[in-house]
Amino acid sequence: MTSPSAATAKPQAPAPAVQSSTAGSFALSTPGHDTGLLLLRLVLGLTMAAHGSQKLFGWFGGGGVSGTGQFFSASGYPAGEAMAVLAGLTETLGGLGLAAGLLTPLAGAAVVGTLVNAIAVHGAGSFFAPEGIEYELLLTAGAAALALTGPGRYAADRFLPVLRDHRLAHGALAVALGVVLGGVLLLVRG
């Protein structure tokens, strides 16, 4: 025999989900999922923006355009200072875009393209620090994942009609674009 209170107890319902149907696909988004994407976007995006500001402005102990330009020249890139500005702008704007969830596929692509170069320059002689690529690889994978999954509900992209309903194709094309443009920059490296 069961007690009367056990018979009336109901299990709690899961958190409400937002459902959307896009081009025949079915997406399920929970507050936990969207909050996790927000956390990833903020940490990865602001880390990249700070790294870019080191190159552009010398903030956070960075070399600024001149010091970073010398590094790019020593690494075999032509026009070191121009490359420093390009890398700094790409990291700063791509990072801020990821943090805000604004043009997320393109912001992710910008970070991916920059990090493809960072991995190539750093070398693949080892996986672990201090000579390894694990940090750069982790940032690259995080940026690609955000481009592929979309920014979640807590993002500026929700206000852009073309990106309101994230499509995997947008993310995949953007990641491919980032890899190709990163590869083109590697080709100009001596």
Side-chain angles (χ1 to χ4, degrees), residues 52-65 68:
S53 70
Q54 288 181 304
K55 290 175 175 65
L56 291 174
F57 311 115
W59 295 352
F60 311 113
V65 171
T68 306

Side-chain angles (χ1 to χ4, degrees), residues 95-155:
L96 291 175
L98 282 177
L102 178 63
L103 302 174
T104 304
L106 291 177
V111 171
V112 166
T114 300
L115 288 165
V116 162
N117 276 265
I119 290 170
V121 168
H122 203 226
S126 174
F127 184 75
F128 296 105
E131 317 237 335
I133 60 167
E134 83 278 7
Y135 176 68
E136 293 87 353
L137 186 62
L138 181 63
L139 292 174
T140 305
L146 286 169
L148 293 170
T149 63
R153 282 186 291 173
Y154 312 130

